[in-house]
Each structure stands twice: as C-alpha cells, then as structure tokens.
Amino acid sequence: MRAWSVVTPGPVESGGLRLVEKPVPVPADDELLVRVRACGVCRTDLHVAEGDLAVRRAGVTPGHEVVGVVAGTGAAVEDFAAGDRVGVAWLRRTDGTCGYCARGAENLCPASRYTGWDADGGYAEYTTVPAAFAYRLPGTLDDVAAAPLLCAGIIGYRALRRAALPPGGRLGLYGFGGSAHLTAQLALAEGATVHVLTRGAAARRLALDLGAASARDAYEMPPEPLDSAILFAPVGDLVPVALRALDRGGTLAVAGIHLSDTPPLHYETELFYEKQVRSVTCNTREDGREFLAGAARHGVRATTHTYPLSKADEALRDLKAGRFDGAAVLLNDLS
C-alpha cells in the first residue's frame, strides 16, 4: 500500500514526510484492519512530523482521526465484521491493569500507546486498531464530518471538563483551530458565553459566525473576566496572558500535547485569588463516547477543508501557516 512516512523528522517544508510503499498491516488477534476513507489533520500530526514529539516509531505513518471500514479482523474479534464503519482515535491501547486504568483514568496509563506515534496511523490506505479502542460512528455523520471529531472534538471535550466551566459561565478559548471551534459549539449549546482570542482574522470571523460573544487578538484582554479558559495554541507565552484574563477562582486548562516554554509567572497578578492551571493528557474512551453522543445531540459540526490524501504534506504546511480555519480532512485517493 501507499502511505506517508516520517522519514526524517523536521520542518514540514523540508520534505522529511514522504509518500512511500509499505506492506498492508496484519491485524493482531484483538485488532481490526481498517481501510481508510478519510483522516483528519491534527496539530499533533505536525508535532510528530517535525520532531516536537520524540520519535517512538521510526518512519511512522501519522494520522489519528481516521474514518474507515473494517477490511479484516483478528482471530479474537467478535464485535465487528467486514464492512462496519469505524473511527480510529489517538488513544490506541492501555494495559487495563494499572492503578490509573482501575480508577477510570486510562489516559494516564504509563503503558498507553498512540495511533500515528507508537503505531502507524491513517495517512495511508490501511491502518489497524485494537477493536476495544475503535468507535462506532453515528450514521448521521458523513466521513468528512466525523473525522475531526475523533481527536479535535474529543480532546476539546476533555479540556472543557478540565476547565471546570460553571453553568452559564464565561469561557475564553485561546487559539481557534480544529479543536477549539468544536469546543465552542458544545460550550454554547450548554449555555456558556464564549470569548475567542486568536491571531487569525479568518478564525475570528468563524468564531463570531458560530456565536462567540467576542473575538479578539490572542494577546488582548477579553471584554469581561473569564470563569474558565482553554489554551489550544501551543504557545507558552499565552499562559500568563490567559491567567490574567481569569476572574477570581478561575481555571485555565492547557489542552495541547506540546507547548513552548512558559515565561515566569507573577504570583499576585496571575495566580493569586485561587486561580488554577490544569494540563490535559489525552482522553479516556468514555470521554470519546460522551462527546460523540453530545455532538450528535447538539449538532456540533466541524468547518472542514478537504485535501486528497496524496497531498497530506501540503495540508500540514497549510496548517502550520494558518492558511485555513476549522479543520482539514484528507480523503483517500491512494487506492
């Protein structure tokens, strides 16, 4: 099969992500072989391609917002059959036995493994997924609409819960890409007032179109103090900016898997009055199921821009440069 491979981690402009020939993967006994139909483009894919995340698998195929159909099953799989439509997300496997898994925090499992980082992902004709970590997708969502929900949507959902937004609260979103524009829709549906702080003019227009109360540059103050904020942009300089925007007792959730260094914090102006900073680490499968159900219930939809899978490198360059709002989705034209 044809698949993209991170041959040499580095700037995506340098050509280290290449379209190569790989064997069609063979599913393990508990896995599904999935023929890829669509794959969302996530900023984490960019971090993997550029080496911001340490190499876990040499020559890995990125992609973890996969929509496809089951093309084969391992010997121990009973709940899926050929032709079933499934979603493949970032969290690929946990040990299921550690203390974190036992208490429902499988996202913190030290043995956790990830699609498109530890194992080849969806920038390919085929991928595999453990059947226990595959999602059944609502029939109301087509492939393009469903793909961004599988990471951008799910991680945004967890970040929203980590931000401890009170009912009817004031939420600030720093950065407004694939994850944030889905989180905004869910927060608005739940009765929040949403303020967006982001660099891109197109992203600010999209935020207002979706119902945000305001949309300003990332380094400006929102028009009112915030109860909660989520930092989606991987920019450490924005941590003190967001903390200053919080009201007393407010919470900042940092949603990205990678963040540039944060500057020193000034205790009185940025942390005092019981402000909190929380990180977000992946998600649980229950987060995924809850979000997909909520997205269907509230009509959460991604603003999407499609690229052929054969141009995945171009999509990542455009993501890096901020050339589109919403989310990009790759459509399989390799087979």
Side-chain angles (χ1 to χ4, degrees):
M1 68 173 185
R2 299 173 73 196
W4 287 92
S5 172
V6 182
V7 176
T8 307
V12 288
E13 301 84 1
S14 68
L17 179 69
R18 299 177 199 165
L19 190 56
V20 301
E21 294 285 335
K22 286 189 174 185
V24 174
V26 177
D29 284 352
D30 66 342
E31 291 181 348
L32 309 176
L33 175 65
V34 178
R35 182 182 178 278
V36 176
R37 298 205 316 207
C39 186
V41 177
C42 180
R43 187 165 291 275
T44 302
D45 301 334
L46 183 63
H47 294 320
V48 169
E50 296 202 319
D52 296 326
L53 296 180
V55 174
R56 295 269 193 98
R57 179 185 179 91
V60 71
T61 294
H64 56 275
E65 296 179 336
V66 184
V67 177
V69 294
V70 176
T73 62
V77 174
E78 297 179 350
D79 296 336
F80 291 90
D84 288 349
R85 193 173 75 128
V86 296
V88 181
W90 176 237
L91 184 64
R92 177 182 177 83
R93 193 183 288 277
T94 61
D95 63 22
T97 60
C98 70
Y100 301 104
C101 289
R103 73 180 198 221
E106 65 182 5
N107 59 307
L108 301 180
C109 176
S112 57
R113 295 294 179 264
Y114 301 95
T115 309
W117 191 21
D118 294 295
D120 286 342
Y123 286 23
E125 293 181 59
Y126 291 90
T127 189
T128 60
V129 61
F133 287 80
Y135 290 95
R136 296 187 184 275
L137 300 175
T140 54
L141 291 172
D142 64 28
D143 295 345
V144 172
L149 303 185
L150 290 163
C151 178
I154 295 172
I155 201 65
Y157 173 81
R158 185 167 186 89
L160 183 60
R161 299 298 175 245
R162 292 284 291 163
L165 181 67
R170 300 157 296 175
L171 174 67
L173 301 178
Y174 287 81
F176 203 70
S179 192
H181 90 292
L182 295 168
T183 306
Q185 293 176 58
L186 186 59
L188 288 164
E190 294 177 344
T193 298
V194 174
H195 299 285
V196 169
L197 298 305
T198 192
R199 66 179 182 175
R204 291 195 294 269
R205 287 194 297 271
L206 175 61
L208 295 173
D209 289 344
L210 290 174
S214 72
R216 299 182 175 184
D217 183 79
Y219 289 89
E220 293 184 36
M221 290 294 286
E224 59 180 340
L226 304 172
D227 297 302
S228 303
I230 305 173
L231 177 58
F232 287 105
V235 182
D237 285 347
L238 288 174
V239 170
V241 174
L243 285 169
R244 288 194 294 271
L246 290 177
D247 204 350
R248 299 181 182 207
T251 300
L252 169 64
V254 181
I257 192 173
H258 170 78
L259 186 72
S260 62
D261 290 343
T262 60
L265 299 177
H266 185 263
Y267 180 68
E268 184 176 354
T269 57
E270 293 156 7
L271 283 174
F272 197 49
Y273 297 118
E274 299 193 352
K275 296 179 182 181
Q276 299 184 70
V277 182
R278 292 177 166 182
S279 65
V280 180
T281 300
C282 191
N283 59 271
T284 67
R285 282 170 285 175
E286 185 61 23
D287 290 330
R289 289 188 286 265
E290 288 178 1
F291 171 71
L292 290 171
R297 184 167 62 252
H298 294 299
V300 174
R301 292 291 185 273
T303 296
T304 55
H305 307 269
T306 58
Y307 293 75
L309 184 52
S310 60
K311 295 188 180 297
D313 55 343
E314 179 182 327
L316 284 176
R317 289 195 298 270
D318 288 350
L319 171 66
K320 183 178 180 179
R323 295 191 184 103
F324 56 78
D325 53 9
V329 178
L330 306 173
L331 295 176
N332 187 0
D333 64 332
L334 301 180
S335 56

